[in-house]
Amino acid sequence: MNNAKTLSTMPNPKGNPQNFEPAQPKGDKPLTDQLSFRVSKEMKEEVKAKDDPPEFCRQAIQKALDEDKKK
């Protein structure tokens, strides 16, 4: 049996043209910059378990910034 022939007929999961469209920002401002910082392993696992980890982090940071402005 020729596995190469079988594999070539399978659809490419990354071949969908929708995968190549730019991501739409969820807020009113475009998300153009990146921020990187270190966290504990436990914190990383908790954040990764969220439905939308990047949005969760953005909201948490924005909440902390807003609270800091009120001081």
Side-chain angles (χ1 to χ4, degrees):
M1 181 173 191
N2 186 350
N3 285 339
K5 193 173 199 177
T6 304
L7 293 175
S8 66
T9 60
M10 294 176 63
N12 181 350
K14 294 187 178 183
N16 187 341
Q18 294 168 333
N19 293 343
F20 300 109
E21 294 177 7
Q24 296 297 319
K26 294 187 179 202
D28 54 347
K29 296 181 182 177
L31 306 176
T32 58
D33 292 352
Q34 291 188 352
L35 182 62
S36 177
F37 51 90
R38 294 186 181 277
V39 296
S40 68
K41 183 176 183 178
E42 294 79 13
M43 186 183 289
K44 180 181 177 183
E45 289 172 0
E46 285 188 54
V47 171
K48 289 288 187 179
K50 300 294 181 185
D51 289 337
D52 188 354
E55 186 60 25
F56 175 81
C57 291
R58 283 189 287 271
Q59 289 177 0
I61 292 170
Q62 188 61 60
K63 181 179 177 183
L65 291 171
D66 291 345
E67 289 175 3
D68 192 44
K69 286 180 185 176
K70 291 179 183 177
K71 291 182 181 179

